[in-house]
Amino acid sequence: MLQKANIEHLAKKIFRYRVLTVDNEHYLVDVDRPFIISYFFPWFLYFTSHWAIRLTEDEFNTLTTSRNDKQRNGLTHNKGITASGAAFVALLLSRAFPIEDYLYFNSHLLNIGLTLFVFGIVMGIRVWMSRRKIVSKLENNDHLIKVYCVPTTLKFIFLSLLMPTISLIIVGVVCYAVITNFAPNFVVHLGLFVFALNFLLSGNTIYFSAESTFKAKII
């Protein structure tokens, strides 16, 4: 039977895990399983079970962001300053150098090579995120349980399913443009990187967001 549940992100940004609270019990849920579905078929993540570990109260207080509001606010402020500074530097560079003169190239082989390089970086980032484990530090790490967790609003489900779909379509269009040499442009490869990474990370970063309400079943 599905019960009302609350999801929180970890204080330390590890996108593989969420903290799930069901009936005043806290669990660390691995949202990155199983491998094939979480990487290539994220649309089915809501319909599969996930491994979870019951947390002690001390572990819950240490892991959850709600216990680290001051630290989180400071990080948000610092990120805002960093982003503003990067935008300012980019503006100065665009004025000093004619960047548009370096965006195009004529080699089809280079076009294909850059595409493969982008896919290699994206997959490397995805694998690195999947290998970040913290369960060995938990008291109940040898007592794994299974959890089903689904959002309670159809709007959130629709938006979660739509995000990887749009990203996959754009990645397909870009790959077609590269193969046909229709777009020998570095900007195209930057877009490929953004949308390919968005597709591979959508299940981890969007599907189990603390911004929505959930229901869960502990098996």
Side-chain angles (χ1 to χ4, degrees):
M1 179 179 177
L2 292 173
Q3 297 177 279
K4 184 177 180 180
N6 180 58
I7 281 184
E8 295 185 61
H9 295 279
L10 301 188
K12 185 177 181 180
K13 292 299 182 181
I14 303 178
F15 293 108
R16 177 171 178 166
Y17 301 100
R18 299 289 188 278
V19 174
L20 177 72
T21 302
V22 181
D23 196 22
N24 294 322
E25 292 287 346
H26 309 298
Y27 304 88
L28 182 72
V29 179
D30 185 353
V31 303
D32 203 36
R33 300 171 66 105
F35 168 81
I36 296 297
I37 291 179
S38 62
Y39 271 59
F40 304 109
F41 299 96
W43 303 276
F44 300 103
L45 277 177
Y46 288 142
F47 308 102
T48 60
S49 62
H50 297 267
W51 292 114
I53 298 174
R54 190 188 304 272
L55 298 173
T56 65
E57 192 65 28
D58 288 340
E59 289 170 341
F60 172 71
N61 292 336
T62 301
L63 290 174
T64 53
T65 57
S66 61
R67 301 304 190 270
N68 295 272
D69 289 334
K70 183 177 180 181
Q71 179 183 5
R72 186 173 70 253
N73 292 337
L75 289 174
T76 302
H77 179 67
N78 291 335
K79 287 179 180 178
I81 295 176
T82 302
S84 300
F88 180 71
V89 171
L91 180 61
L92 291 179
L93 289 176
S94 66
R95 294 291 184 180
F97 302 99
I99 299 177
E100 63 275 5
D101 294 343
Y102 304 95
L103 295 180
Y104 298 91
F105 46 88
N106 298 320
S107 172
H108 190 201
L109 183 62
L110 177 60
N111 205 14
I112 298 293
L114 283 175
T115 301
L116 296 176
F117 180 69
V118 167
F119 278 123
I121 293 178
V122 169
M123 186 57 69
I125 293 174
R126 188 65 178 85
V127 171
W128 173 76
M129 286 182 59
S130 295
R131 293 177 62 86
R132 300 188 68 189
K133 298 181 180 180
I134 60 174
V135 296
S136 60
K137 302 177 183 179
L138 302 178
E139 182 177 315
N140 298 314
N141 63 74
D142 56 343
H143 293 86
L144 296 177
I145 58 178
K146 285 187 176 182
V147 174
Y148 283 94
C149 190
V150 294
T152 58
T153 60
L154 291 177
K155 178 181 178 181
F156 186 80
I157 295 176
F158 174 76
L159 292 176
S160 299
L161 298 178
L162 187 63
M163 186 65 70
T165 303
I166 293 176
S167 297
L168 185 61
I169 291 174
I170 294 177
V171 167
V173 171
V174 172
C175 288
Y176 176 79
V178 169
I179 292 174
T180 59
N181 206 32
F182 179 75
N185 191 314
F186 284 107
V187 174
V188 171
H189 292 90
L190 179 61
L192 178 63
F193 173 80
V194 171
F195 286 101
L197 188 62
N198 186 70
F199 171 75
L200 285 180
L201 299 186
S202 59
N204 291 65
T205 58
I206 300 172
Y207 278 44
F208 298 96
S209 171
E211 303 301 321
S212 182
T213 56
F214 289 82
K215 286 188 176 181
K217 179 180 180 181
I218 308 296
I219 302 177

